[in-house]
């Protein structure tokens, strides 16, 4: 009788799965990036109370938060092509729907999902920057955009860094659903392996190990970045160079 | 012709009229002390002048060029005006994630588009002026309140504003740090910078200003040399205020 649990298999699976790790990481990083950019826009719309956009943003966030990622992936995967086809028939355009790879849909759906969750944390990070700094920037003659880019976002970043890390980690977990868009990343590959040798349990154990290690590594990287971004405890006095003149 | 002319400035928050027609001409090199009870609109006046608040009505002319303070539309004009006025805040408002040097360089680089080297040269000079050169590499959190305020003054001066606005620059400081900041203000006043100084340090205002105005209920009720205003105020409200601040030099009548 075959072994109930093939311990070795858990580890021999790993190299084959790791070949697909780059896809998982690309998906997660791109989705997090889109999530941050879009989340920033949503946060600014809410902070500046821009009419109409504000209501649209609130509705978007509410829908995304209130529906499962899996469903969102399906909706984007089937919805976007339908929308393009509608445009094609209505306006006689020739948008090449079939050529868009599933990867794009997966990134789009995961990015939209991430933006809804990160917008609120981005907003509170932006609001944590003292209003006085914005006023000081304005008083110097800086525009809102300049103040945002040079003063507010850099400080908000340090506040938001741990939550940005969480978004990245949840995006990584989210990528395990990307098979819905016909993307083969590590989980999809794991299912393929499992289907080949019927050792599903072993391959899921392998996957668990990989996801866990990736998360641990990301946490460590974040800690290092946080440390690097921190204002130093103490600095040396500035010594005037007498020979400068 | 005056350097700066403020005309008919009105500002209210909802029904609360804060500025009720302020007129002021400022000559080059004037150091104007602004005194008055709290809540009379002294901060609001300064904040309207560099458009941190938008008044309902009012104009400012700088070097003969008139700018409408109440219009929200023209961003370019607002930016031009802000570059003509420098602001020193009660709470310093230094950029937390920048060193003292970077704080002073910021406006030079971003707004005035100066080169990195030039900005650095000017910034070091200004830090030296306020006695903070040795702290150029320090971040605000490494500095005491008085030191932060001196950096904030350097930051404002580096932009070479026509008019420097100081809103209670020592009110947030521990008593032992007030002196160092007042010394710096006195020094730059002597160097000929034109400024509006809101302060409750009456002795200092009297000493450093060459003109004092008393604002109450949104209008200028007294305007004269320090000697005139402190020794011989014309308005009852000024007398009352100065008596409260123990600054009225004539004997209050009720003592007799
Ligand atoms: N943003 C604001 N909204 C509503 N009222 C305000 C605001 N800022 C100031 N005020 C009111 O305007 C009045 C003048 O305030 P301020 O200019 O700060 O006075 P001062 O600096 O002379 O103490 C006060 O009654 C204050 O409550
Ligand atoms: Mg005030």
């Amino acid at each position: 009788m075959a072994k109930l649990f093939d311990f070795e298999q858990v580890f021999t699976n790993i190299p084959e799965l790791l070949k697909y790790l780059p896809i998982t990481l690309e998906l997660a990083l791109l989705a997090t990036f889109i999530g941050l950019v879009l989340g920033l826009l949503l946060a600014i719309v809410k902070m500046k109370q821009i009419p109409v956009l504000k209501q649209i943003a609130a509705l978007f966030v509410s829908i995304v938060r209130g529906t499962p990622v899996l469903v969102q992936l399906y909706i984007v995967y089937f919805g976007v092509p339908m929308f393009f086809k509608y445009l094609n028939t209505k306006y006689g355009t020739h948008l090449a729907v079939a050529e868009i790879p599933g990867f794009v849909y997966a990134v789009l759906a995961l990015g939209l999902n991430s933006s809804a969750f990160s917008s609120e944390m981005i907003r509170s990070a932006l609001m944590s920057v003292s209003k006085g700094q914005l006023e000081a920037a304005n008083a110097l003659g800086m525009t809102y955009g300049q103040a945002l880019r040079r003063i507010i976002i850099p400080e908000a970043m340090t506040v938001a860094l741990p939550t940005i890390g969480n978004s990245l980690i949840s995006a990584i977990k989210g990528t395990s659903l990307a098979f819905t868009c016909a993307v083969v990343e590590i989980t999809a590959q794991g299912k393929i392996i499992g289907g080949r040798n019927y050792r599903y349990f072993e391959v899921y154990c392998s996957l668990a190990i990989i996801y866990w290690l990736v998360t641990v590594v990301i946490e460590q990287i974040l800690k290092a970045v946080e440390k690097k971004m921190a204002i130093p405890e103490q600095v040396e006095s500035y010594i005037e160079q007498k020979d400068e003149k | 012709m005056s350097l700066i002319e403020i005309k008919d400035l009105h500002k209210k928050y909802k029904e609360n009229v804060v500025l009720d027609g302020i007129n002021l001409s400022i000559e080059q090199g004037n150091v104007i002390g602004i005194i008055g009870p709290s809540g009379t609109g002294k901060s609001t006046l300064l904040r309207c002048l560099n458009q941190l608040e938008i008044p309902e009505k009012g104009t400012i002319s700088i070097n003969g060029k008139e700018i409408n303070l109440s219009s929200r539309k023209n961003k370019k004009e607002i930016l031009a005006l802000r570059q003509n006025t420098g602001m020193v805040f009660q709470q310093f408002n230094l950029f937390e994630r920048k060193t003292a040097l970077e704080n002073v360089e910021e406006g030079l680089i971003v707004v005035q588009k100066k080169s990195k080297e030039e900005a650095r040269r000017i910034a070091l000079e200004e830090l030296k002026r306020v006695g903070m050169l040795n702290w150029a590499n320090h971040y605000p959190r490494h500095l005491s309140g008085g030191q932060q305020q001196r950096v904030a003054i350097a930051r404002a001066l580096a932009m070479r504003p026509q008019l420097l606005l100081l809103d209670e620059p020592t009110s947030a400081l521990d008593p032992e740090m007030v002196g160092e900041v007042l010394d710096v203000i006195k020094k730059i006043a002597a160097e000929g910078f034109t400024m509006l100084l809101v302060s409750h340090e009456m002795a200092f205002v009297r000493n450093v200003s060459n003109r004092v105005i008393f604002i109450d209920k949104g209008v200028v009720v007294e305007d004269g040399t320090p000697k005139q205003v402190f020794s011989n105020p014309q308005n009852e409200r000024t007398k009352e205020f100065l008596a409260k601040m123990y600054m009225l030099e004539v004997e209050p009548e009720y003592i007799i």
Side-chain angles (χ1 to χ4, degrees), chain A residues 30-50:
Chain A
L30 284 171
T32 307
F33 179 73
I34 291 176
L36 286 177
V37 174
L38 200 62
L40 178 65
L41 291 178
L42 291 170
I44 292 174
V45 163
K46 187 160 180 193
M47 273 169 66
K48 297 224 109 184
Q49 297 281 315
I50 302 169

Side-chain angles (χ1 to χ4, degrees), chain A residues 3 25 61 98 117 122 127 154 191 208 217:
Chain A
K3 270 185 284 184
L25 294 179
V61 170
F117 285 91
I122 291 175
M127 302 229 303
K191 286 182 180 164
V217 169

